[in-house]
Amino acid sequence: MADFVQFAVSGLTIGAVYALVALGFTLIYNASSVVNFAQGEFVMLGGMATVFLAALGLPLPAAAVAAVIAAVAVGIVVHALVIEPARGANAVTLIILTIGVSLVLRGAAPLIFDKQFHKLPGFSGEAAVGVLGAAVQPQAFWVVGGAAVIVLALKLFLARTLFGKAVLATAADRMAAMLAGINTGVIVGFAFATSAAIGAIAGILVTPITLTSYDVGVMLSLKGFAAAVLGGIGSPLGAVAGGLLLGLLEALAAGYLSSTYKDAAAFVVLIAVLMAMPGGLARVKQVERV
Amino acid sequence: MAFKLSPATLIVLAAIAIVVLPGLVLPSAYYFRVGALVFISALAVIGLNLLMGYAGQVSLGHAGFFAIGAYGPAILPAQFGWHPLMAAFAGVVLAAALAFVIGKPILRLKGHYLAVATLGVGMLITLVLTAEVAITGGPDGMAVARASVLGAKLRTPETWYWICGVLLILGVVAAINLLDSPTGRALRALHDSEVAAAGLGVDIAGYKLLAFVAAAIYAAVAGAASALLNGHVTPDVGSFLHSVEFVTMAVIGGLGSILGSIIGAAVLVILPQALTVFHDYETLALGVMIVLFMLFLREGIVPGLARRLRAGQT
Amino acid sequence: MMGLCGTAAAAGEIRIGSVVSSTGPAAFLGEPEDKTLKLYVEEMNKAGGIIGNTVKLVIYDDGGDADKARTFATRLVEEDKVVAVLGGTTSGTTFAMIPVFEDAEVPFIAFAGAVGIVEPTKTWVFKTPHTDRMACEKIFEDLRKNNLTKVGIISGTDGFGKSMREQCVKVNAKYGIEIVAEETYGPRDSDMTAQLTNLKGAPGIQALINPGMGQGPAIVTRNVRQLGIALPLYQSHGVASKSFIELAGEAAEGVRLPAAALLVADKLPDSDPQKSVATGYKTTYEVATNGQVSTFGGHAFDALFILKAAVERANSTEPAKIRDQIENTKGFIGTAGIFNMTPTDHMGLDLSAFKMLEVKGGDWVLAE
């Protein structure tokens, strides 16, 4: 039992990271149908920028805020220079564009930062806390809690504010939203800025656990994308569920089956889920273009 | 002269020229090696283009089939004493069989769901190659025995340049024949509109599977050639990044364009060689180039330039 | 840069090639190698080059990709006409390049760990790092000394971790060590508590060994502390830089690992012949790069100076003569140990080159 709890804690912590990356995917996908493979790079930016700003002497909270602002600025620039000019391009072209962006960010990061691994101190210290017989890093609570707060805030924002509703309208039908007088370019730009912020916050929250370096983004983009699709791409709650499930699968597979084949186990289940529910966990309706 | 060449013949002639003309003037083994690498990638990309450009299906795990093709001539001669060329053939058959078996269920998925499923398949293949150290040599890979034909060892990059060149030309001819057949027309109908194609009685699932298996065969042949050229394989050949590289080549060259596949492969293979002067800026520069290509030649280099040329003429 | 223009004394140019992984997953290994080579080649040229020849260093970055490494190897041989090659950051890239240099008959000194690089001996291939087998042997020796015989292994599935794990399961019986449980983790994994929970429960387990490099071993170390596992933890020479201690933080206290004397350069007794070489390299590197010295850069340093000495002894820039003299390296004091190469030993280090280190008070100390 204690072992199971330990595995579950491990899975949920990593799953919360995947969930945050998946959430970023979802937001941009909803606003613009773009699958942004540079999402993992925002996570890297958040972690690395905080590390380096803190090294320059900034207090940690200030460094974290500045890092998020920097990531948002990058998100806005990416949208303005790359995504907006490519409006109307087909889905694969857009994917390649975002892969190009991720290469640019990953190529620039070692020039601005460096190529070594870095860490941040745990926000509430490093001493493990006992939960139902399992030892938990205090930072894990920050990660899971942070993910919960972000999901809630996003949900409230989308449901309660006029701007949020405009985002939802754009997601549902861009043409109709435009006809209704919504400046969809601004909405998509906003989605990029918000995704960048979510990514950067995720990066800051997880760096005390996962450590960071200029190239952590690749794997995170991959797993985050898988999680978003598992949840049913386009559904924020699905993204969170997909992320947590993917993390849990990996940890349980590592604990009970084989640590070497844990990623395989996770992907086999993922493919099986997609077979059974071709729209992902949230059963998003697949739109068929005629 | 009322003599006019069909577009298909022109494409084949262009492919022959792309192989033969540089082959006559390249100065050293290094250039022949880069040329061979271009042809190998181009072969895999032509296959992928049948799937993406014509059948309209995305695969993010294509390098997995490339890896199976590559490990055939690595494992079978080392473990069972097979002749490398027989082993290469067996690897290609295995890749095709695997594509057939898994293609059936996963091709029911669409768009991004299919992308993730293929990504998973590619990852599984790489994972097995990395984990089974006793058979595959693990992450450091394994040596590949030199193939010899009639007592002559096929080892120099120049030899492989010509072998890969011939494979590429054969691949181009096969692709053109496939696309010119009723099957090809069905594939194109599929790309334009699945629903309309189904209405016309096209067996959608069957043709998608056909394109998927064909793409796997192209990738596996390319993989086998790369293993024999290199004399060494690592699981990296099946990695996600390698899959993405193939997709990028297909898109940059132009989806649905055979010549585009070759050009796309050439750009992404040669560019990093040309960028070594910039060293630290290499990844950055590669990213910038990809973004610029996609922004300014959205349909890909070959279709994009062709359209501009035509626009210029009229 | 000045050196490339040639000074009055330079009779000619000696072209040395290098392929390292200064980007990609092994960048933290490749970067110090890259910096070390550039730094010391510049110094050599300021001091008049090698036997009067200006050294021209042609260096390529393979990004950790074996295919690219091989292309660059061909390019060095065919286009750049180098007389010797240093490098190969990972074992995978090194293996991919070996046939090129064997075919072209160009001497090649590798920076990678796998024992397969020099066993069986290949005419043109040498290496400067200790092998992963030696790391296992050193750890097993230490375990025996402390009467610990039942160990659990948690290894990374990257080339380094896998290769060392293979060596450990080959030589453990010789030392009377029993491996009671095994786990692995992926090179990008960020939580190993599940695997460690299983190891913790393995019956009779007395110590943990973690073959791996990069950030993985730091996370393993932290997770061991988190789970309150009180077993002695052995890391490998794959984490031999100060940054491991920084990343693992307090959890690193008491961790042991076999590594080169370089890490404890300033704590070596004055009588130690390696002291001046090790402190010299450490100071020069840290001043020039503003970073911390690692044994990885040290392997590049050793290779460069073994090559320099060989060229000087050969008094020639002919690859075949240089090769013979590299093989003839005797009593060469490097950062990794004292090298004595022979026609059957193309590494030339024995177990005495490894020191058993322990983390104490946030720094490495000699455990012996």
Side-chain angles (χ1 to χ4, degrees):
Chain A
M1 182 59 195
D3 282 5
F4 174 79
V5 177
Q6 189 70 55
F7 299 155
V9 164
S10 161
L12 288 177
T13 312
I14 297 309
V17 183
Y18 298 160
L20 284 173
V21 182
L23 206 59
F25 267 110
T26 305
L27 197 58
I28 290 182
Y29 180 81
N30 273 345
S32 64
S33 303
V34 173
V35 172
N36 175 30
F37 268 97
Q39 189 62 29
E41 262 60 41
F42 291 136
V43 182
M44 176 273 291
L45 267 181
M48 289 295 271
T50 307
V51 168
F52 275 79
L53 290 169
L56 286 179
L58 237 57
L60 204 53
V65 171
V68 174
I69 292 172
V72 167
V74 171
I76 290 172
V77 170
V78 166
H79 170 255
L81 289 186
V82 180
I83 305 300
E84 192 58 28
R87 188 160 8 153
N90 68 41
V92 186
T93 303
L94 287 169
I95 287 181
I96 302 298
L97 262 177
T98 61
I99 287 175
V101 170
S102 80
L103 281 174
V104 170
L105 295 179
R106 205 180 326 140
L111 303 173
I112 301 165
F113 310 120
D114 66 8
K115 293 176 191 166
Q116 304 298 316
F117 295 101
H118 296 279
K119 71 157 185 178
L120 287 171
F123 299 174
S124 315
E126 317 256 325
V129 184
V131 177
L132 298 173
V136 186
Q137 297 183 51
Q139 191 66 23
F141 297 111
W142 280 96
V143 175
V144 177
V149 169
I150 289 174
V151 172
L152 268 178
L154 198 62
K155 207 163 168 54
L156 283 178
F157 170 78
L158 290 178
R160 298 282 165 81
T161 66
L162 195 60
F163 200 74
K165 284 177 183 157
V167 174
L168 287 178
T170 308
D173 187 339
R174 185 166 184 152
M175 189 55 92
M178 247 152 82
L179 292 176
I182 296 172
N183 185 341
T184 54
V186 171
I187 298 291
V188 177
F190 170 78
F192 263 84
T194 312
S195 283
I198 293 176
I201 292 171
I204 296 162
L205 289 175
V206 301
T207 296
I209 295 179
T210 64
L211 312 181
T212 191
S213 70
Y214 77 99
D215 62 350
V216 287
V218 188
M219 201 58 180
L220 286 173
S221 287
L222 203 68
K223 295 277 176 75
F225 175 51
V229 170
L230 179 61
I233 191 155
S235 154
L237 275 178
V240 173
L244 293 177
L245 183 64
L246 194 63
L248 269 179
L249 279 172
E250 284 180 13
L252 293 178
Y256 290 118
L257 296 172
S258 141
S259 42
T260 306
Y261 280 108
K262 67 177 180 352
D263 286 339
F267 265 96
V268 167
V269 174
L270 190 151
I271 292 173
V273 169
L274 291 182
M275 301 273 86
M277 298 185 252
L281 295 176
R283 288 181 177 277
V284 177
K285 204 178 77 203
Q286 296 198 36
V287 183
E288 191 63 40
R289 285 207 186 88
V290 179
Chain B
M1 290 266 280
F3 183 68
K4 208 172 175 198
L5 292 167
S6 73
T9 320
L10 273 176
I11 293 174
V12 175
L13 285 179
I16 293 175
I18 287 172
V19 173
V20 173
L21 296 182
L24 297 176
V25 296
L26 288 182
S28 80
Y30 161 65
Y31 288 94
F32 279 110
R33 178 179 161 81
V34 173
L37 291 174
V38 170
F39 300 157
I40 287 169
S41 290
L43 201 56
V45 175
I46 289 175
L48 187 60
N49 223 332
L50 291 175
L51 183 68
M52 286 175 49
Y54 293 97
Q57 311 296 312
V58 184
S59 169
L60 289 182
H62 208 56
F65 297 111
F66 186 94
I68 292 179
Y71 271 85
I75 294 173
L76 295 174
Q79 309 279 351
F80 306 102
W82 287 38
H83 187 279
L85 295 183
M86 272 307 293
F89 182 72
V92 173
V93 171
L94 178 68
L98 186 69
F100 182 78
V101 173
I102 57 171
K104 249 187 169 147
I106 69 171
L107 285 167
R108 289 194 349 241
L109 299 171
K110 297 203 168 60
H112 300 304
Y113 298 93
L114 177 64
V116 164
T118 52
L119 189 160
V121 170
M123 264 184 99
L124 293 183
I125 294 172
T126 317
L127 207 59
V128 172
L129 293 175
T130 310
E132 298 305 321
V133 181
I135 304 168
T136 64
D140 288 339
M142 66 187 293
V144 181
R146 296 284 180 193
S148 55
V149 172
L150 304 172
K153 276 205 170 177
L154 309 176
R155 65 182 312 161
T156 67
E158 190 169 353
T159 313
W160 280 101
Y161 176 90
W162 293 110
I163 294 173
C164 296
V166 169
L167 284 175
L168 176 63
I169 293 168
L170 292 177
V172 169
V173 171
I176 286 175
N177 277 325
L178 182 73
L179 292 173
D180 261 356
S181 68
T183 311
R185 284 191 285 279
L187 279 179
R188 266 173 285 181
L190 214 65
H191 186 214
D192 295 340
S193 166
E194 266 189 35
V195 179
L200 292 170
V202 175
D203 168 18
I204 295 175
Y207 282 114
K208 274 192 199 168
L209 188 59
L210 180 86
F212 193 67
V213 173
I217 293 176
Y218 272 89
V221 171
S226 95
L228 290 167
L229 160 77
N230 284 326
H232 189 268
V233 284
T234 62
D236 286 347
V237 292
S239 69
F240 169 67
L241 288 179
H242 202 204
S243 289
V244 166
E245 209 177 325
F246 287 144
V247 175
T248 312
M249 287 170 177
V251 176
I252 281 192
L255 281 178
S257 161
I258 289 173
L259 276 185
S261 300
I262 305 178
I263 302 298
V267 168
L268 280 205
V269 171
I270 296 171
L271 209 55
Q273 291 297 321
L275 290 176
T276 51
V277 243
F278 300 111
H279 198 45
D280 287 337
Y281 303 90
E282 196 186 316
T283 315
L284 181 63
L286 200 60
V288 171
M289 301 285 249
I290 288 175
V291 169
L292 291 180
F293 270 125
M294 286 294 90
L295 282 183
F296 297 108
L297 284 171
R298 212 184 272 185
E299 340 64 319
I301 297 173
V302 170
L305 288 182
R307 190 173 49 81
R308 284 189 190 196
L309 275 179
R310 276 197 302 275
Q313 277 168 2
T314 49
Chain C
M1 270 298 132
M2 286 301 290
L4 300 183
C5 307
T7 51
E13 193 178 71
I14 175 168
R15 299 170 78 88
I16 297 175
S18 179
V19 181
V20 293
S21 313
S22 41
T23 56
F28 68 100
L29 300 175
E31 197 191 25
E33 294 165 356
D34 177 88
K35 283 183 174 166
T36 300
L37 290 179
K38 286 179 180 157
L39 175 64
Y40 278 94
V41 163
E42 201 183 310
E43 292 224 330
M44 270 181 199
N45 283 333
K46 272 188 210 147
I50 305 180
I51 52 168
N53 294 294
T54 313
V55 183
K56 169 96 174 29
L57 177 69
V58 185
I59 194 159
Y60 295 120
D61 168 22
D62 61 32
D65 177 330
D67 259 13
K68 267 196 189 153
R70 188 166 176 116
T71 305
F72 285 129
T74 313
R75 185 167 176 176
L76 286 174
V77 169
E78 297 284 338
E79 291 302 300
D80 304 313
K81 311 276 182 209
V82 297
V83 297
V85 178
L86 310 173
T89 299
T90 68
S91 300
T93 57
T94 303
F95 283 126
M97 292 192 284
I98 285 174
V100 177
F101 302 127
E102 284 283 302
D103 281 357
E105 311 201 325
V106 170
F108 173 43
I109 311 180
F111 306 157
V115 70
I117 295 168
V118 289
E119 275 183 30
T121 317
K122 294 157 201 74
T123 315
W124 299 88
V125 181
F126 303 84
K127 76 193 268 307
T128 50
H130 318 84
T131 65
D132 31 25
R133 183 191 301 156
M134 291 166 69
C136 296
E137 290 176 333
K138 188 77 184 176
I139 291 172
F140 292 152
E141 248 184 39
D142 199 61
L143 285 167
R144 290 298 306 185
K145 240 186 266 173
N146 294 300
N147 285 322
L148 303 168
T149 56
K150 296 189 173 191
V151 302
I153 295 184
I154 175 164
S155 53
T157 54
D158 54 284
F160 182 92
K162 272 264 181 200
S163 170
M164 179 168 162
R165 180 253 161 209
E166 296 298 307
Q167 294 304 323
C168 285
V169 300
K170 263 187 201 152
V171 298
N172 64 314
K174 204 170 97 192
Y175 289 83
I177 301 285
E178 190 190 340
I179 294 165
V180 292
E182 273 203 71
E183 293 284 338
T184 63
Y185 58 87
R188 273 283 164 213
D189 283 3
S190 46
D191 185 293
M192 287 65 149
T193 49
Q195 291 94 318
L196 288 167
T197 302
N198 283 342
L199 284 181
K200 185 183 179 186
I205 192 163
Q206 293 172 318
L208 290 173
I209 303 177
N210 177 205
M213 60 173 201
Q215 96 291 12
I219 294 176
V220 167
T221 307
R222 291 155 60 120
N223 288 165
V224 165
R225 169 61 66 95
Q226 175 195 339
L227 294 174
I229 302 176
L231 304 170
L233 171 62
Y234 285 83
Q235 289 293 348
S236 71
H237 55 314
V239 297
S241 75
K242 196 74 177 287
S243 86
F244 165 74
I245 300 181
E246 286 167 7
L247 293 176
E250 270 178 30
E253 284 298 303
V255 167
R256 290 194 163 202
L257 89 165
L262 175 62
L263 286 190
V264 287
D266 34 7
K267 297 189 191 76
L268 291 173
D270 287 337
S271 59
D272 194 310
Q274 269 186 279
K275 178 150 187 160
S276 69
V277 175
T279 45
Y281 170 62
K282 182 177 152 78
T283 316
T284 312
Y285 183 87
E286 291 185 347
V287 168
T289 63
N290 214 1
Q292 270 170 347
V293 78
S294 68
T295 57
F296 322 124
H299 300 316
F301 173 89
D302 293 349
L304 180 63
F305 282 90
I306 285 176
L307 176 66
K308 177 173 186 269
V311 174
E312 282 164 352
R313 282 199 301 276
N315 197 18
S316 159
T317 55
E318 237 175 86
K321 288 186 179 158
I322 297 174
R323 188 217 82 90
D324 292 347
Q325 286 306 325
I326 296 174
E327 192 170 79
N328 209 10
T329 298
K330 295 277 181 286
F332 174 88
I333 302 170
T335 63
I338 297 167
F339 291 83
N340 287 298
M341 300 210 189
T342 69
T344 53
D345 180 2
H346 277 191
M347 173 184 60
L349 293 171
D350 57 27
L351 264 193
S352 70
F354 260 142
K355 311 277 182 214
M356 184 53 74
L357 306 183
E358 189 175 313
V359 180
K360 252 192 199 138
D363 200 1
W364 305 108
V365 296
L366 281 162
E368 291 147 317

